[in-house]
Amino acid sequence: MAEDRRVRKSKTAIKNAFIQLLKEKNIERITIQEISDLADVNRGTFYLNYVDKYALLEEMENEQIAEIKSFVDIRNINLSNRTGEAFIEEFSNNVIKKVITHISNNLEFYQVILNLERKSQIEEQIADIVRSNLTYLIEDKDDVFGIPINYYLSYVTGSMISMIKYWVSDDQRVSIDEFVQYIATIASNGPLSIMRRMVDQKNK
């Protein structure tokens, strides 16, 4: 038990050190010695836990994804006798808000990981979660109202990831509730529908 605590403490120190170094330089330029020195562990301790810095990054990303998967599952929402508006409200509160709250609770990690010079695997994993939930809702259809399914999923996942990346990096970041509302409004109305309403208001 004491050994397990020491291992957890060492791994936490290594991960924290890695995040701090990623704030300062590209991952390719970070050395194991730098990570070990900042974490106050020896290189041997690092290699007891990780093959290299990329394995460390992968474990950190997988931990975050595992947590998101634990509470993001559209199958937990009862869709029977539900209006579209009621579904959007529940999905916003019980799925989107939980994801954004999780990201907020791990903000430093996401600020660094989502702004790496190379694309982080976590982006694709989050996109996979969104795709799997939407695929369940769409079932076995090849299209969504005439839009090929892959085009639809690409648009939805891409825009979601883009908004999250902007939010975590925004120095004037809005609250979680405001951000969730923004996502829900854009997702439920669509960018062109919102633009149409703006044009209609302008021409009144």
Side-chain angles (χ1 to χ4, degrees), residues 154-170:
S154 177
Y155 178 82
V156 173
T157 56
S159 58
M160 179 71 74
I161 294 296
S162 181
M163 285 189 73
I164 290 172
K165 290 177 73 171
Y166 183 84
W167 184 71
V168 300
S169 300
D170 188 4

Side-chain angles (χ1 to χ4, degrees), residues 106-169:
N106 299 275
L107 189 60
E108 188 175 47
F109 171 84
Y110 283 97
Q111 285 174 330
V112 170
I113 296 303
L114 293 178
N115 286 288
L116 292 176
E117 289 186 19
R118 68 180 185 87
K119 186 176 180 181
S120 166
Q121 291 298 311
I122 204 166
E123 290 183 45
E124 187 56 37
Q125 292 187 67
I126 291 174
D128 281 343
I129 293 172
V130 175
R131 276 194 292 266
S132 65
N133 276 272
L134 289 174
T135 300
Y136 170 79
L137 185 63
I138 296 166
E139 297 177 325
D140 296 325
K141 297 176 184 175
D142 294 326
D143 64 84
V144 179
F145 298 110
I147 304 168
I149 187 66
N150 288 334
Y151 281 88
Y152 175 76
L153 294 175
S154 177
Y155 178 82
V156 173
T157 56
S159 58
M160 179 71 74
I161 294 296
S162 181
M163 285 189 73
I164 290 172
K165 290 177 73 171
Y166 183 84
W167 184 71
V168 300
S169 300

Side-chain angles (χ1 to χ4, degrees), residues 33-134:
Q33 190 63 60
E34 287 177 310
I35 299 172
S36 301
D37 288 346
L38 190 57
D40 197 23
V41 300
N42 59 51
R43 284 166 57 90
T45 299
F46 180 94
Y47 285 116
L48 278 174
N49 294 289
Y50 306 104
V51 174
D52 55 27
K53 58 191 174 184
Y54 300 104
L56 167 59
L57 177 61
E58 183 178 5
E59 178 176 293
M60 293 170 70
E61 290 177 325
N62 287 340
E63 287 173 346
Q64 300 297 319
I65 289 299
E67 187 170 342
I68 291 175
K69 284 182 176 178
S70 71
F71 53 71
V72 176
D73 191 342
I74 202 170
R75 290 170 296 185
N76 294 329
I77 299 177
N78 182 5
L79 299 178
S80 62
N81 300 317
R82 258 323 146 78
T83 64
E85 187 173 340
F87 168 76
I88 289 172
E89 182 177 358
E90 183 166 353
F91 187 78
S92 297
N93 291 328
N94 293 320
V95 177
I96 297 176
K97 186 172 182 177
K98 287 181 179 179
V99 172
I100 302 307
T101 299
H102 161 80
I103 291 173
S104 180
N105 290 339
N106 299 275
L107 189 60
E108 188 175 47
F109 171 84
Y110 283 97
Q111 285 174 330
V112 170
I113 296 303
L114 293 178
N115 286 288
L116 292 176
E117 289 186 19
R118 68 180 185 87
K119 186 176 180 181
S120 166
Q121 291 298 311
I122 204 166
E123 290 183 45
E124 187 56 37
Q125 292 187 67
I126 291 174
D128 281 343
I129 293 172
V130 175
R131 276 194 292 266
S132 65
N133 276 272
L134 289 174

